[in-house]
Amino acid sequence: MRAIVQRVSRAAVRIEGRQAAGIGRGFVVLLGVGGDDGETDADFLLDRILGLRVFADASGKMNLALGAVDGALLVISQFTLYADTRQRRPSFTAAAPPEQACRLYKYFLSQAGKHDVKVECGEFGAHMEVDLINDGPVTILLDSATR
């Protein structure tokens, strides 16, 4: 499972022209599910994301995690994180089939909801437009295969 985590001052996702979800300070998480992924991959990534200490403390140093700043998550499914770009036209055969990916995406969301953070999401499989203000910029790539 792969995630692109962006620290944001605000973000929103629109589906068919209407705002479906939005957050203030927090993380936008673009989440991709690979064909070999399972719940342990989702648990691992969620733990890493919630524990990332990339928010400034009183000294201005990256030292605080999402929960310490009352931050939120906006989680967007994105199978293109598994693009194979050896050819000019990307292949996505390493991405999980939609049924598996949807199940693990929903599992990730349900597990995230058990923590003391606001969790918003896009719609699995929908065409979405994501607006965000990347704060920093801070963008981190996480992959459960590289534990």
Side-chain angles (χ1 to χ4, degrees):
M1 187 172 281
R2 294 177 180 160
I4 302 282
V5 181
Q6 297 182 63
R7 185 179 74 182
V8 299
S9 54
R10 64 180 163 81
V13 59
R14 288 191 311 265
I15 302 171
E16 296 181 1
R18 67 169 173 74
Q19 182 170 319
I23 62 170
R25 186 180 197 188
F27 290 139
V28 167
V29 177
L30 304 175
L31 189 69
V33 180
D36 295 331
D37 289 336
E39 292 175 351
T40 57
D41 296 284
D43 293 337
F44 172 78
L45 279 190
L46 180 61
D47 179 67
R48 289 299 161 129
I49 291 166
L50 295 177
L52 282 174
R53 293 171 34 185
V54 297
F55 293 93
D57 63 14
S59 301
K61 296 187 182 236
M62 286 185 174
N63 200 27
L64 300 176
L66 188 67
V69 298
D70 198 27
L73 292 173
L74 176 58
V75 185
I76 308 294
S77 64
Q78 189 165 3
F79 73 94
T80 60
L81 293 180
Y82 277 89
D84 177 349
T85 57
R86 288 179 287 180
Q87 302 293 320
R88 291 182 183 264
R89 181 169 186 237
S91 166
F92 302 104
T93 57
E99 300 80 24
Q100 176 189 354
C102 184
R103 182 183 62 77
L104 286 172
Y105 173 69
K106 289 179 179 177
Y107 175 80
F108 183 91
L109 292 172
S110 72
Q111 294 304 108
K114 294 178 180 177
H115 296 270
D116 192 24
V117 296
K118 176 183 174 187
V119 180
E120 297 282 330
C121 62
E123 181 181 316
F124 184 88
H127 179 86
M128 295 175 271
E129 295 177 331
V130 180
D131 293 324
L132 61 90
I133 303 296
N134 191 322
D135 181 22
V138 173
T139 301
I140 296 174
L141 171 64
L142 297 172
D143 191 326
S144 63
T146 58
R147 296 179 205 200

